[in-house]
């Protein structure tokens, strides 16, 4: 999933993740020092839901962002597993 790779890359280059539900999916913007360094839309519902659970009011920052960075492999594995289960059912 390309979106997982972009999230991983964005987490390493930013201090804040801002997300917002839109018609096309979940729009994610990675912000560092007040400037958006990357922005894209996640169309996969499983990934969008998992990512939106990590933040509060559309923002992932501070200790929540650090936990997501540190546990990204587990987050990614969980999303891939849920996606596979969704496809099989």
């Amino acid at each position: 999933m390309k979106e997982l790779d972009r999230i991983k890359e964005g987490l390493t280059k930013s201090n804040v993740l801002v997300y917002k539900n839109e018609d096309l999916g979940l729009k994610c913007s990675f912000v560092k020092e007040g400037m958006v360094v990357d922005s894209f839309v996640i169309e996969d519902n499983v990934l969008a839901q998992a990512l939106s659970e990590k933040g509060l009011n559309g923002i992932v920052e501070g200790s929540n962002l650090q936990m997501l960075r540190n546990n990204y492999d587990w987050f990614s594995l969980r999303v891939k597993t849920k996606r596979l289960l969704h496809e099989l059912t």
Side-chain angles (χ1 to χ4, degrees):
M1 297 171 78
K2 286 183 179 182
E3 295 164 333
L4 280 171
D5 293 335
R6 278 188 85 176
I7 291 171
K8 184 176 183 179
E9 185 179 325
L11 287 171
T12 61
K13 295 180 179 180
S14 67
N15 299 341
V16 177
L17 166 60
V18 180
Y19 59 86
K20 179 181 177 184
N21 285 317
E22 293 188 346
D23 293 337
L24 299 175
L26 187 73
K27 182 174 182 177
C28 297
S29 298
F30 291 94
V31 180
K32 183 171 184 171
E33 298 174 2
M35 301 288 288
V36 175
V37 292
D38 193 12
S39 185
F40 60 95
V41 176
I42 297 174
E43 296 177 358
D44 180 23
N45 292 334
V46 174
L47 177 56
Q49 170 134 10
L51 191 60
S52 65
E53 291 172 357
K54 296 295 179 184
L56 182 63
N57 296 326
I59 300 173
V60 182
E61 63 181 345
S63 62
N64 289 338
L65 185 73
Q66 195 62 35
M67 280 194 320
L68 183 57
R69 278 184 192 146
N70 293 339
N71 299 318
Y72 187 77
D73 292 334
W74 286 108
F75 173 78
S76 176
L77 180 62
R78 192 177 114 216
V79 168
K80 289 175 184 177
T81 303
K82 283 185 176 183
R83 183 73 182 141
L84 179 62
L85 181 63
H86 181 70
E87 288 182 18
L88 293 175
T89 57

